[in-house]
Amino acid sequence: MKLRLILSFILLATCFTAFSQEKKNEAIVEKGLVKISIMYPYAEGKTFNMEYYETKHMPMVAQFLGSNLVKYTIEKGIASGIPNQPLPFMAIGTFYVKSLSDYQAAIAPKRDAIRADFANYTNVSPVILVSEVVK
């Protein structure tokens, strides 16, 4: 009887964990969100301070976005997708927002402060891609 109870509990816990993770993944990538990818190309002699970017720059910009921001991510480039090819990007920062117009309205008055902060973590000009999450 105790063994059945323990096995039932383990099965229930496993199912709960699996289903809760599935819902988290759905919330992470929501169709219709706007994704702003700020990509920092790799080039010989260029630098990137990941610690500053992670602890200062991205939280600062995220604060400007307010409730329009769903989440943001930070990626550190480690290799090219093609063997023996140079790293394409040193880092990529991504903001997922509900509205592009609200994003632009929040960023516009802060654009100079954001650009001025670049010197604190990189000597690279970023490439920015705005896209819509479709799946």
Side-chain angles (χ1 to χ4, degrees):
M1 181 67 173
K2 285 184 181 181
L3 182 59
R4 276 185 152 170
L5 184 60
I6 291 171
L7 290 175
S8 295
F9 178 76
I10 291 172
L11 179 61
L12 182 63
T14 303
C15 289
F16 179 78
T17 302
F19 286 118
S20 68
Q21 288 176 352
E22 184 176 318
K23 286 185 180 182
K24 285 180 187 175
N25 288 339
E26 288 175 13
I28 290 172
V29 181
E30 185 179 319
K31 184 176 181 177
L33 288 179
V34 175
K35 178 180 174 185
I36 298 91
S37 302
I38 305 95
M39 302 172 286
Y40 297 87
Y42 171 81
E44 196 68 38
K46 298 297 181 177
T47 60
F48 195 90
N49 182 331
M50 185 59 74
E51 181 181 351
Y52 185 91
Y53 189 68
E54 183 178 351
T55 62
K56 304 287 186 195
H57 184 78
M58 287 293 278
M60 173 188 72
V61 178
Q63 186 177 18
F64 297 155
L65 300 178
S67 63
N68 187 39
L69 179 65
V70 174
K71 75 172 204 157
Y72 70 90
T73 62
I74 299 170
E75 301 170 47
K76 179 181 178 181
I78 56 172
S80 172
I82 302 170
N84 302 317
Q85 293 296 311
L87 178 68
F89 297 100
M90 294 188 289
I92 300 173
T94 306
F95 295 103
Y96 292 86
V97 297
K98 299 170 195 168
S99 163
L100 178 58
S101 60
D102 288 352
Y103 167 82
Q104 291 169 332
I107 292 299
K110 306 291 187 181
R111 187 173 56 191
D112 290 340
I114 293 168
R115 286 184 177 170
D117 197 43
F118 286 1
N120 292 319
Y121 65 92
T122 191
N123 58 356
V124 175
S125 294
V127 174
I128 300 173
L129 172 67
V130 177
S131 57
E132 180 182 353
V133 175
V134 295
K135 185 169 181 174

